[in-house]
Amino acid sequence: MTVAGAVTVLFVPGDRPDRFDKALGAGADLVVVDLEDAVAPAAKAAARGHVAAALRPGDRRFAVRLNPLDGPEREADHRLLDELTGHPDSALQAVMVPKADDPAALAAIADRLARAFDGPVPLIALVESARGVLAAPALAAVGGVTRLAFGALDLAADVGASSDPGPLLGYARAQVVLASRAARIAGPLDSPPTEIADLAAVTAAARSARGMGFTGSLCIHPAQLPAVRDAFAPTAAELAWARRVVAAGDSAVQVDGRMVDRPVTERARRLLGYAPPDSGR
């Protein structure tokens, strides 16, 4: 699974190495070892040591979320990235940059990684502030940025708004989706659902995100993974509709009593492209 194609992206705290392999075994498309929010300030140095050990060559494949580029952990995080360059076959799959709001700083990290690893390392830019939302088109256009991701809780805190779904978060989500499409990068990852036991709520949030144009979601617990994965997969009814539309050809025709033209046919083909291999597409 590529970073661009990941649907379920699971965070694991960087200071809990006992959970690294468990996270990989949970079935997430991508595991992000977190150095930021999940790690207390006093544990940051130890977490970097665990990350360095986990990302040495081997079968385990991880991404890492750094601390904010303008924060006090910046230099120590950069030293970690420098240490990883000593392992050209590092298990590092991607780097997630939180609080992304400065395209120049993002480009500098992308360039640093590309030179160190003798090729681009996928970047995931996490948009979670007012500045980040307004800069989303420029962030998505930075070379090396593979995807944007959205952080609803941090954005709500930044602007003093409710974290419940509403016009502000809907607008911000739309900006992230549109910026990704305009830059011709993969569809973005939605903010992680806060519910863990209420899987119906997890499913509803993921379906809503999919309907807005997101193509995956961040997750904070392995229990969320199946619900998110199923919510982003086309339903049997959607696949059956898509097959009927594609079979009707490229001219303007009626399918199921509705007019079908090129944009609808393209949407149907995209749905079939998202279908799992055993769906009979």
Side-chain angles (χ1 to χ4, degrees), residues 35 44-45 48 66-84 105 108-109 112:
L35 294 176
K44 300 274 190 189
R48 277 186 284 267
L66 303 176
N67 291 284
L69 297 181
D70 59 354
E73 302 293 330
R74 175 178 180 272
E75 292 306 318
D77 280 357
H78 282 186
R79 287 194 294 272
L80 170 63
L81 294 178
D82 290 341
E83 181 180 349
L84 295 177
I109 284 288
R112 182 187 190 116

Side-chain angles (χ1 to χ4, degrees), residues 169-209:
L169 294 185
Y171 168 82
R173 281 186 165 94
Q175 290 292 95
V176 171
V177 170
L178 292 173
S180 299
R181 181 57 184 162
R184 297 298 189 265
I185 61 175
L189 298 161
D190 194 23
S191 188
T194 56
E195 299 85 357
I196 295 174
D198 187 354
L199 295 183
V202 173
T203 297
R207 284 179 177 164
S208 175

Side-chain angles (χ1 to χ4, degrees), residues 236-255:
E238 287 173 327
L239 291 176
W241 169 85
R243 293 187 192 102
R244 291 195 297 273
V245 169
V246 171
D250 293 326
S251 58
V253 296
Q254 287 192 40
V255 175

Side-chain angles (χ1 to χ4, degrees), residues 13-274:
D15 60 344
R16 294 297 305 270
D18 56 307
R19 296 185 184 178
F20 291 0
D21 283 334
K22 291 179 182 178
L24 286 174
D29 295 328
L30 181 66
V31 171
V32 179
V33 181
D34 189 13
L35 294 176
E36 193 209 11
D37 286 346
V39 180
K44 300 274 190 189
R48 277 186 284 267
H50 297 314
V51 169
L55 294 178
R56 292 193 177 111
D59 294 333
R60 299 191 299 181
R61 308 294 294 173
F62 293 105
V64 60
R65 175 162 74 167
L66 303 176
N67 291 284
L69 297 181
D70 59 354
E73 302 293 330
R74 175 178 180 272
E75 292 306 318
D77 280 357
H78 282 186
R79 287 194 294 272
L80 170 63
L81 294 178
D82 290 341
E83 181 180 349
L84 295 177
T85 65
H87 303 285
D89 296 323
S90 166
L92 183 67
Q93 279 190 284
V95 170
M96 180 178 287
V97 177
K99 312 294 190 295
D101 62 9
D102 183 347
L106 197 60
I109 284 288
D111 182 64
R112 182 187 190 116
L113 288 167
R115 285 186 284 107
F117 284 88
D118 196 25
V121 175
L123 286 182
I124 302 172
L126 188 47
V127 176
E128 46 190 342
S129 68
R131 282 172 55 90
V133 171
L134 296 180
L139 296 172
V142 170
V145 171
T146 300
R147 294 180 90 165
L148 299 182
F150 180 61
L153 294 180
D154 281 280
L155 175 62
D158 182 44
V159 301
S162 169
S163 60
D164 295 330
L168 175 75
L169 294 185
Y171 168 82
R173 281 186 165 94
Q175 290 292 95
V176 171
V177 170
L178 292 173
S180 299
R181 181 57 184 162
R184 297 298 189 265
I185 61 175
L189 298 161
D190 194 23
S191 188
T194 56
E195 299 85 357
I196 295 174
D198 187 354
L199 295 183
V202 173
T203 297
R207 284 179 177 164
S208 175
R210 180 189 166 213
M212 287 196 69
F214 286 85
T215 56
S217 178
L218 306 173
C219 299
I220 55 174
H221 194 280
Q224 297 173 330
L225 298 176
V228 169
R229 184 180 301 108
D230 289 346
F232 276 95
T235 66
E238 287 173 327
L239 291 176
W241 169 85
R243 293 187 192 102
R244 291 195 297 273
V245 169
V246 171
D250 293 326
S251 58
V253 296
Q254 287 192 40
V255 175
D256 298 343
R258 294 188 176 186
M259 180 60 67
V260 169
D261 55 9
R262 184 179 57 81
V264 178
T265 303
E266 289 179 355
R267 176 172 176 267
R269 289 196 175 105
R270 282 199 301 273
L271 276 173
L272 294 177
Y274 297 144

